[in-house]
Amino acid sequence: MTARRAQLIEAAHDLIVAHGIAGLRTRAVAAAVGIDHSTLHHHFPTKADLIEAVADRALAAFRPAEGPTQTLTEHLRHLAALMTTRPDLFTLMRELDLHATRDTAIAALMGPRDDRWRASLTALLPHPVHADLVIATVKGAGNHPATAPAVLKALLDLLRK
Amino acid sequence: MTARRAQLIEAAHDLIVAHGIAGLRTRAVAAAVGIDHSTLHHHFPTKADLIEAVADRALAAFRPAEGPTQTLTEHLRHLAALMTTRPDLFTLMRELDLHATRDTAIAALMGPRDDRWRASLTALLPHPVHADLVIATVKGAGNHPATAPAVLKALLDLLRK
Amino acid sequence: MTARRAQLIEAAHDLIVAHGIAGLRTRAVAAAVGIDHSTLHHHFPTKADLIEAVADRALAAFRPAEGPTQTLTEHLRHLAALMTTRPDLFTLMRELDLHATRDTAIAALMGPRDDRWRASLTALLPHPVHADLVIATVKGAGNHPATAPAVLKALLDLLRK
Amino acid sequence: MTARRAQLIEAAHDLIVAHGIAGLRTRAVAAAVGIDHSTLHHHFPTKADLIEAVADRALAAFRPAEGPTQTLTEHLRHLAALMTTRPDLFTLMRELDLHATRDTAIAALMGPRDDRWRASLTALLPHPVHADLVIATVKGAGNHPATAPAVLKALLDLLRK
DNA sequence: AATGAATGAGTGTTCATTCAT
DNA sequence: GATGAATGAACACTCATTCAT
């Protein structure tokens, strides 16, 4: 059933945010949903499949903010808002970015996303390097959710000058 | 002997950069140095001690760049140079930052360092939030060593305008 | 399955009698039953749990002899018979008594048992100290199963004079 | 030097009483005396040698009470006194008795001692089985140092009737 | 879809012992 | 007599995965 899949993805998401990808235990995911850990393999043949599904869903949550039709202001405001309402998303992203270095399956998910994101930003900014600057800052700001919105606003102000 | 300790720290450093903190195996560290894995515990009672020593040494490598007497230009140039010559240092920092969330011993090392860094930056910049902006960007830029120096230079230009 | 649990408890019992609690190896227990040592942890999360189960079952084997409704003669005859048919039970008891000094979980099992035993004996004997005398002698007699029944009979004769 | 040896035996004695023979760590013995654990092997080639030395010294402490020239009253009074002043000696004896089952070297020490003890007692008692009774009770009484002297006195009274 | 038993490769850690200095 | 580095066998315990039911 797809409902069970969604439950498992949600539980895995929370557990990754709490304990990291390396700290993720399939037993814990199954327990959080109330099923036996061997049943989890019925929905996700392998642990990597589950992690990919989590990554996929998290990436989808970012998509609206990364669409090509926005202004830079809207884009950064949306991300700043997301940092406040969904800091878990950014924690997960950092986990995935780090994991992508070693896991080609995750890299295949994260790479194109960054490429699309960079393309969208390039269209909104005079200098291409500023796209990389925004991406770097957004990714780095996720470390401190408290100051992140202010940091993003400061960057926006600098870029609009 | 301290030479052996240094060798082990170096090997552990490389292995963390290659496989992540979670992927670090004490057996691999010992093998890289050519000793039995049980001998490693003669030098580092616990795996956590070894990781702490690696963190300590890496942090020390950053210290010259974070000193309080510099100009912002010098500071960012030093970091940009470091990103090119020692990208491993930034990979390790991202690992440690992520680990600090869950490991208080690492947090105790990383927290004060960021505090000192922020203080140094605040003294060089008109707006305190810019200190956080620089930190966020530097940390985020470590993801892409290729574009990192250009990103840092772009940030510097914006801040000096 | 509970049958497997019972098998493991039995095997652990025999191995403790043969090599002592300290000499108990979970691998040996699993091997004696013909399963992988990791499967043992499916039935007993920890080695201590297994030992507790062994202690529990051994204590249960004594219970009929320690019931409150007997005469002293019946009581000591039952124990003497047990010493001949099941000397392993007394070897195990000595192991557990010694272990109880250092292991609170075992102490929690052995303490109440001795208390109940002493209470039963006190009801059958004119002087309370004789209850302690019987307990001490029974425990000490376990060292030499060969002479134990005769020793217990001699004690009975002295107490009935 | 023999002074060092005596120190090590004393420390090992205390540690066995505290943590059992199985819980004895040569490192702990060395540390208690203030030397490196590898130096311990200079005085005692093997851990078993150290334990044997401890057993030997403890057995010597009992010898005065087990001499052949005493009366039964003196003998039991001496043991009762020893139980109060040196309960550690009885804890150690129980450890050694249990160990003797599995360790022939310890058995070679404990066996003859029990034989001599039994011979002395047989000379003082009308029925040979009473010798075994006394030995069993003394060994069993060591479990509860608090009640041990009273138990021994009660046994003495019964035997003198 | 779900379970419980089982697996096996691995994981950090322990510890008595050896040996060159 | 003493040390520190090193060893290697052992150890309990973990965990993703498989499979019969």
Side-chain angles (χ1 to χ4, degrees):
Chain A
M1 204 196 291
T2 296
R4 216 0 88 84
R5 261 185 75 95
Q7 270 185 301
L8 288 165
I9 291 171
E10 174 108 20
H13 173 106
D14 292 345
L15 285 165
I16 289 175
V17 170
H19 307 115
I21 290 182
L24 183 67
R25 302 288 170 255
T26 55
R27 276 170 163 84
V29 176
V33 166
I35 63 173
D36 193 273
H37 70 275
S38 59
T39 306
L40 183 147
H41 287 274
H42 222 295
H43 301 277
F44 298 95
T46 185
K47 187 185 181 179
D49 293 327
L50 174 60
I51 295 173
E52 257 186 85
V54 171
D56 223 37
R57 201 191 60 147
L59 251 21
F62 276 104
R63 224 147 281 160
E66 297 161 355
T69 54
Q70 304 179 313
T71 66
L72 181 67
T73 305
E74 282 169 353
H75 180 76
L76 288 180
R77 276 195 187 144
H78 189 121
L79 285 175
L82 214 52
M83 275 181 176
T84 308
T85 57
R86 297 289 308 278
D88 58 296
L89 243 29
F90 292 84
T91 302
L92 187 65
M93 280 303 127
R94 251 180 309 144
E95 287 281 348
L96 290 170
D97 271 329
L98 216 39
H99 223 67
T101 321
R102 260 95 58 174
D103 184 330
T104 55
I106 298 295
L109 246 52
M110 303 297 284
R113 178 253 187 169
D114 279 4
D115 291 343
R116 279 193 304 274
W117 189 11
R118 184 174 292 104
S120 300
L121 284 168
T122 308
L124 301 173
L125 287 160
H127 301 298
V129 71
H130 283 174
D132 288 313
L133 172 58
V134 170
I135 291 174
T137 306
V138 169
K139 289 193 174 182
N143 281 333
H144 273 129
T147 62
V151 163
L152 254 43
K153 185 171 181 344
L155 178 64
L156 179 61
D157 289 342
L158 287 176
L159 288 170
R160 283 201 300 202
K161 260 195 284 193
Chain B
M1 206 195 290
T2 294
R4 219 353 93 82
R5 260 185 75 95
Q7 269 185 302
L8 288 165
I9 291 172
E10 174 110 20
H13 173 108
D14 292 345
L15 285 165
I16 289 176
V17 170
H19 307 115
I21 290 182
L24 183 67
R25 301 290 168 255
T26 55
R27 275 168 167 85
V29 177
V33 166
I35 62 173
D36 192 275
H37 72 277
S38 63
T39 306
L40 183 147
H41 288 93
H42 182 65
H43 301 277
F44 298 94
T46 186
K47 187 186 180 179
D49 293 327
L50 173 61
I51 295 174
E52 255 185 88
V54 171
D56 224 36
R57 200 192 60 149
L59 250 21
F62 275 103
R63 223 148 280 162
E66 297 161 356
T69 55
Q70 301 180 318
T71 68
L72 181 66
T73 306
E74 282 169 354
H75 180 76
L76 288 179
R77 273 194 189 144
H78 189 122
L79 285 175
L82 215 51
M83 276 181 176
T84 308
T85 57
R86 296 289 310 277
D88 58 295
L89 243 28
F90 292 83
T91 302
L92 186 64
M93 280 302 127
R94 255 180 307 145
E95 287 283 347
L96 290 171
D97 271 328
L98 218 40
H99 225 67
T101 320
R102 260 99 52 178
D103 184 330
T104 55
I106 298 295
L109 248 53
M110 303 298 284
R113 178 254 186 169
D114 279 4
D115 291 342
R116 279 193 302 273
W117 189 11
R118 183 172 294 105
S120 300
L121 284 169
T122 307
L124 301 173
L125 288 160
H127 302 299
V129 70
H130 284 172
D132 289 313
L133 171 60
V134 169
I135 291 174
T137 306
V138 169
K139 288 194 173 182
N143 281 332
H144 274 129
T147 62
V151 163
L152 255 44
K153 185 172 181 345
L155 177 64
L156 179 61
D157 289 342
L158 288 176
L159 287 170
R160 284 200 299 201
K161 259 195 287 191
Chain C
M1 205 195 294
T2 295
R4 215 1 87 83
R5 259 185 76 97
Q7 270 185 301
L8 288 166
I9 291 172
E10 175 110 19
H13 173 107
D14 291 347
L15 285 165
I16 288 176
V17 170
H19 307 115
I21 290 181
L24 183 67
R25 300 289 169 256
T26 55
R27 276 172 164 84
V29 176
V33 165
I35 62 173
D36 193 273
H37 73 275
S38 64
T39 306
L40 184 146
H41 288 94
H42 181 65
H43 300 278
F44 298 95
T46 186
K47 187 185 180 180
D49 292 328
L50 174 61
I51 294 173
E52 255 186 89
V54 171
D56 223 36
R57 200 191 62 148
L59 250 22
F62 275 102
R63 225 148 279 162
E66 297 161 355
T69 56
Q70 302 179 319
T71 66
L72 181 67
T73 306
E74 283 169 354
H75 180 77
L76 287 179
R77 274 195 188 144
H78 189 123
L79 285 174
L82 214 52
M83 275 180 175
T84 309
T85 57
R86 297 288 309 278
D88 58 297
L89 242 29
F90 291 83
T91 302
L92 187 64
M93 280 302 127
R94 254 179 308 144
E95 286 283 348
L96 290 172
D97 271 328
L98 218 41
H99 226 67
T101 320
R102 260 96 54 176
D103 183 330
T104 56
I106 299 295
L109 248 52
M110 303 297 284
R113 179 254 186 169
D114 279 5
D115 291 343
R116 279 193 303 273
W117 189 12
R118 183 172 293 105
S120 300
L121 285 169
T122 307
L124 301 173
L125 289 161
H127 302 299
V129 71
H130 285 172
D132 289 314
L133 171 60
V134 169
I135 291 175
T137 307
V138 169
K139 288 193 173 182
N143 280 333
H144 273 128
T147 63
V151 163
L152 253 45
K153 185 173 181 340
L155 177 64
L156 179 61
D157 289 341
L158 289 176
L159 288 170
R160 283 202 300 200
K161 258 195 289 192
Chain D
M1 204 197 291
T2 296
R4 226 345 99 83
R5 259 185 76 96
Q7 269 185 302
L8 288 166
I9 291 172
E10 175 108 20
H13 173 106
D14 292 346
L15 285 166
I16 289 176
V17 170
H19 307 116
I21 290 181
L24 183 68
R25 302 288 170 256
T26 56
R27 276 170 162 84
V29 176
V33 166
I35 63 172
D36 192 272
H37 69 277
S38 59
T39 307
L40 183 147
H41 288 273
H42 222 296
H43 302 277
F44 298 95
T46 186
K47 188 186 181 179
D49 293 327
L50 173 60
I51 295 174
E52 258 187 85
V54 171
D56 222 37
R57 200 192 61 148
L59 251 21
F62 276 103
R63 223 148 280 161
E66 297 161 355
T69 55
Q70 302 178 313
T71 67
L72 181 66
T73 305
E74 283 170 353
H75 179 75
L76 288 181
R77 274 195 188 145
H78 189 121
L79 285 175
L82 213 54
M83 276 181 175
T84 307
T85 57
R86 296 289 309 277
D88 58 295
L89 243 29
F90 291 84
T91 302
L92 187 64
M93 280 302 126
R94 252 180 309 146
E95 287 283 347
L96 290 170
D97 271 328
L98 217 41
H99 223 68
T101 320
R102 260 95 58 175
D103 184 331
T104 55
I106 298 295
L109 248 52
M110 303 297 285
R113 178 255 187 170
D114 279 4
D115 291 342
R116 279 193 305 272
W117 189 11
R118 183 173 294 104
S120 300
L121 283 168
T122 307
L124 301 173
L125 287 161
H127 303 298
V129 71
H130 284 174
D132 288 312
L133 172 59
V134 169
I135 291 175
T137 306
V138 170
K139 289 193 173 181
N143 280 333
H144 273 130
T147 63
V151 163
L152 254 44
K153 184 172 182 346
L155 178 65
L156 180 60
D157 289 342
L158 288 175
L159 288 171
R160 284 202 299 201
K161 259 196 288 193

